[in-house]
Amino acid sequence: MNAKLDSTVTTRPVTRQTFDEVLVPTYAPAAMVPVRASGLDLWDQNGKHYLDFTSGIAVTALGHCNPVIVEALTRQANTLWHLGNGYTNEPVLRLGLALTEATFADRAFFCNSGAEANEAALKLARKHAHAKFGEHKSRIVSCFSSFHGRTLFTVSVGGQSKYTEGFEPLPPAIDHIEYNNIESARAAIGDDVCAVIVEPIQGEGGVLPGDKAFLQELRNLCDKTGAVLIFDEVQSGMGRTGHLFAYQGYGITPDILTSAKALGNGYPVAAMLTTNELAASLGVGSHGTTYGGNPLAATVALTVLDTINQPAFLARVKEASAKMVAMLEGLTKDYPAILSTVRGSGLLLGVVVADAWKGKSKDIQKAAEAQGLMVLIAGTDVVRFAPALVVTDAQIAEAERLLRAALDSLAA
């Protein structure tokens, strides 16, 4: 029988092995399969409980199945789902107003993912430069070890060759500099540069915060050369650092900002924010996306924004961050043979492994998972923590207990 016509196919039992049988092997997921979650609590197919300190790679910032978001999505799902781009809708108009009033931006473009937001930002930068200065001004400068998405354009802009191997030829006129290296920036950013794109905190590159002097020099060089400064806040934005966006903590304003991940708390939505002057370069028909800014996505994002962008909420993120940092620094002191230094900002934190554990951050992640704690890695040398921003003191204490058990198992 043709499986595509078998009415039982959608109800058959599935396991981790099913992934290997039917999905394109672009990932190597964990052996356990999550089936249910609430807040920071998660359960797999076997009923085992996990404490989730990943939030889907800094996505479910308000926790799994947050009731306020569930209510907003359900209400909108019973009202209006989708419209073509020949129409606008009330939720996206409200979201655009809220984001522009909360940031430096005058205009917003909505899409579905961080890669799409960065693609839009880079296209806008080139379009603006071509119109204002001429086609010679087209070079893009990014940083080594950065990550800006998986489209051919954004993966080329990201400074990690492992993600571009086999996809050549790559888009031209893209150069990379060393992160936090001012002299490297000065040598690379000339009059032919249309855009400089940077993460205020490198996530995939090792949870490395940008030095304020480095980011300020990028701003100065862009002002000097007429280049556009793009802050990729896909991971660092939406309250993750204790500010709505990280640029606000630095006091350095970009020309374009991209947001995704936590903007929808797991519902696919992203935004590119910019100024009136730049936005004018993307006229009718010059760019678009089918699902971007549909009523469902916009309703969820507006609810997330309303929840996070409150002084008390952001203050609690900073408080939880201080407790997390103290906890992790305590672990580095007690397990110096495995863990080295703590770095990051807010609730985007990383622990660099000790020399003897270089290249083995995945082993630490697996040991934590065995104890019932979900954590991330950032390359082979950093264990990354990005819990939901609603994490409690009790959950931080529980994470410490589970981490200590995991480290004890590795030390033994």
Side-chain angles (χ1 to χ4, degrees):
M1 179 184 290
N2 187 337
K4 289 182 173 58
L5 301 179
D6 185 350
S7 62
T8 68
V9 69
T10 58
T11 57
R12 260 183 241 154
V14 291
T15 66
R16 170 61 180 79
Q17 184 180 347
T18 311
F19 179 96
D20 296 330
E21 294 170 350
V22 301
L23 296 183
V24 176
T26 54
Y27 296 102
M32 65 92 163
V33 179
V35 295
R36 181 170 61 91
S38 176
L40 280 78
D41 296 304
L42 181 144
W43 293 265
D44 69 9
Q45 286 180 320
N46 298 319
K48 180 178 177 179
H49 171 263
Y50 297 84
L51 181 59
D52 182 4
F53 266 47
T54 72
S55 60
I57 315 182
V59 170
T60 51
L62 298 179
H64 295 284
C65 300
N66 183 288
V68 175
I69 300 172
V70 171
E71 189 281 327
L73 177 59
T74 303
R75 175 172 24 89
Q76 188 59 48
N78 286 304
T79 306
L80 180 67
W81 278 40
H82 181 75
L83 295 162
N85 292 327
Y87 307 88
T88 189
N89 63 82
E90 290 183 346
V92 79
L93 296 175
R94 294 191 184 102
L95 178 60
L97 284 171
L99 278 170
T100 53
E101 288 183 4
T103 66
F104 71 93
D106 306 307
R107 301 277 180 159
F109 170 81
F110 295 105
C111 46
N112 309 295
S113 68
E116 268 196 69
N118 284 327
E119 184 95 9
L122 295 164
K123 285 180 67 176
L124 171 57
R126 277 198 171 157
K127 191 90 160 43
H128 171 75
H130 286 187
K132 187 173 182 178
F133 300 100
E135 293 186 7
H136 71 282
K137 195 174 184 64
S138 59
R139 192 159 58 90
I140 294 167
V141 172
S142 179
C143 294
F144 290 115
S145 300
S146 62
F147 187 87
H148 300 295
R150 294 282 197 160
T151 67
L152 188 59
F153 194 5
T154 57
V155 82
S156 301
V157 172
Q160 301 188 59
S161 60
K162 65 182 179 181
Y163 293 135
T164 59
E165 291 172 359
F167 297 110
E168 298 85 357
L170 304 177
I174 299 171
D175 292 319
H176 297 89
I177 61 176
E178 293 180 20
Y179 194 67
N180 282 337
N181 187 320
I182 289 176
E183 291 307 316
S184 179
R186 288 172 176 164
I189 301 171
D191 289 337
D192 63 335
V193 172
C194 70
V196 176
I197 183 169
V198 65
E199 298 163 277
I201 303 169
Q202 283 197 334
E204 301 293 326
V207 196
L208 188 61
D211 294 336
K212 183 173 183 178
F214 172 71
L215 297 176
Q216 183 62 61
E217 184 61 11
L218 295 183
R219 175 72 276 173
N220 296 342
L221 290 166
C222 286
D223 290 341
K224 178 181 178 182
T225 61
V228 166
L229 179 61
I230 304 169
F231 270 19
D232 177 343
E233 294 230 32
V234 168
Q235 189 162 172
S236 64
M238 294 305 295
R240 181 58 56 179
T241 65
H243 299 273
L244 182 61
F245 291 105
Y247 86 86
Q248 294 164 328
Y250 282 104
I252 299 167
T253 304
D255 301 298
I256 303 174
L257 181 146
T258 56
S259 175
K261 287 189 179 288
L263 181 61
N265 204 67
Y267 195 101
V269 61
M272 178 193 71
L273 306 177
T274 191
T275 63
N276 279 324
E277 180 188 1
L278 290 173
S281 296
L282 285 184
V284 174
S286 62
H287 191 61
T289 175
T290 297
Y291 297 108
N294 77 22
L296 290 173
T299 296
V300 170
L302 183 59
T303 305
V304 172
L305 178 63
D306 282 344
T307 303
I308 290 176
N309 194 30
Q310 302 292 335
F313 187 98
L314 296 171
R316 168 56 195 171
V317 172
K318 294 176 183 177
E319 179 183 294
S321 173
K323 293 180 184 296
M324 276 284 295
V325 169
M327 181 268 281
L328 294 174
E329 287 181 341
L331 293 178
T332 64
K333 292 176 182 176
D334 293 343
Y335 298 89
I338 302 176
L339 303 177
S340 177
T341 56
V342 179
R343 65 193 188 196
S345 179
L347 288 174
L348 179 57
L349 300 169
V351 181
V352 183
V353 301
D355 289 343
W357 284 80
K358 292 292 185 185
K360 299 180 180 179
S361 61
K362 189 75 173 177
D363 293 346
I364 300 173
Q365 180 190 42
K366 289 180 177 179
E369 184 182 294
Q371 297 296 329
L373 177 67
M374 296 165 61
V375 299
L376 299 161
I377 60 173
T380 60
D381 298 334
V382 177
V383 182
R384 181 173 25 161
F385 301 86
L389 305 184
V390 294
V391 64
T392 66
D393 292 354
Q395 288 168 328
I396 293 172
E398 177 65 3
E400 178 179 11
R401 185 186 71 78
L402 297 171
L403 277 170
R404 286 184 179 275
L407 295 170
D408 285 341
S409 70
L410 293 172

